[in-house]
Amino acid sequence: MHNYPFGGYVPNHSTLTRKLIPQEDDPEYEKFISDPQHAFLASLATQLQATKVMAVQDTLSTHSPDEEYIHQLHNLHRHWFNDHEVLSLFEKYSAKLEDIKETIKARNKDICLRNRSGESSTLIQLF
């Protein structure tokens, strides 16, 4: 799942703010109350800061074309393992992870669990 489309838009997921919300005894409080939208927009990161954050989020949410997952063993690397017991245990481990993945997918489709979204929040329920 790519997080960039949502998190890359700074107002949705601001990584920093330049101003705190003023307290009631702060002279800026009246300005905040009269125009909260302006106060919010003034607190967001600068364009340069936001651009840097967007670049990092894009990089972190993009998958490498040659990436391998922990439960996968590429055929080119199978010759590294000569121990049949190790390969058998690895296959058992991989099968268990696939079972967990299917459980997560099923829970994500369950109407009773609509208040949850995505694999990460459902994964917490497994353990």
Side-chain angles (χ1 to χ4, degrees):
M1 172 194 266
H2 297 289
N3 293 322
Y4 182 75
F6 179 80
Y9 181 62
V10 176
N12 282 345
H13 191 261
S14 183
T15 55
L16 64 100
T17 57
R18 297 182 296 156
K19 293 182 180 180
L20 297 174
I21 295 174
Q23 300 294 321
E24 290 184 27
D25 58 347
D26 189 330
E28 293 289 314
Y29 186 74
E30 290 301 321
K31 289 181 186 175
F32 171 71
I33 293 298
S34 66
D35 192 0
Q37 183 176 359
H38 180 268
F40 169 72
L41 293 174
S43 72
L44 291 178
T46 65
Q47 187 175 9
L48 177 62
Q49 291 167 327
T51 303
K52 288 178 182 179
V53 168
M54 289 167 60
V56 169
Q57 286 183 333
D58 182 50
T59 301
L60 294 176
S61 67
T62 303
H63 295 278
S64 171
D66 63 343
E67 80 182 13
E68 295 178 22
Y69 296 96
I70 193 167
H71 70 285
Q72 295 174 334
L73 183 61
H74 196 278
N75 287 334
L76 295 173
H77 302 144
R78 284 196 178 272
H79 71 278
W80 292 350
F81 300 102
N82 293 326
D83 189 337
H84 294 290
E85 184 180 357
V86 170
L87 285 172
S88 173
L89 290 170
F90 183 79
E91 294 300 327
K92 184 177 177 182
Y93 170 74
S94 296
K96 181 64 177 171
L97 286 178
E98 284 298 320
D99 289 344
I100 292 171
K101 178 178 158 184
E102 293 306 316
T103 300
I104 290 170
K105 284 182 177 181
R107 288 183 181 183
N108 285 341
K109 291 178 183 175
D110 188 345
I111 294 173
C112 297
L113 300 175
R114 280 215 171 155
N115 62 333
R116 294 170 173 83
S117 112
E119 293 179 355
S120 60
S121 63
T122 308
L123 184 59
I124 293 169
Q125 299 296 317
L126 289 172
F127 300 103

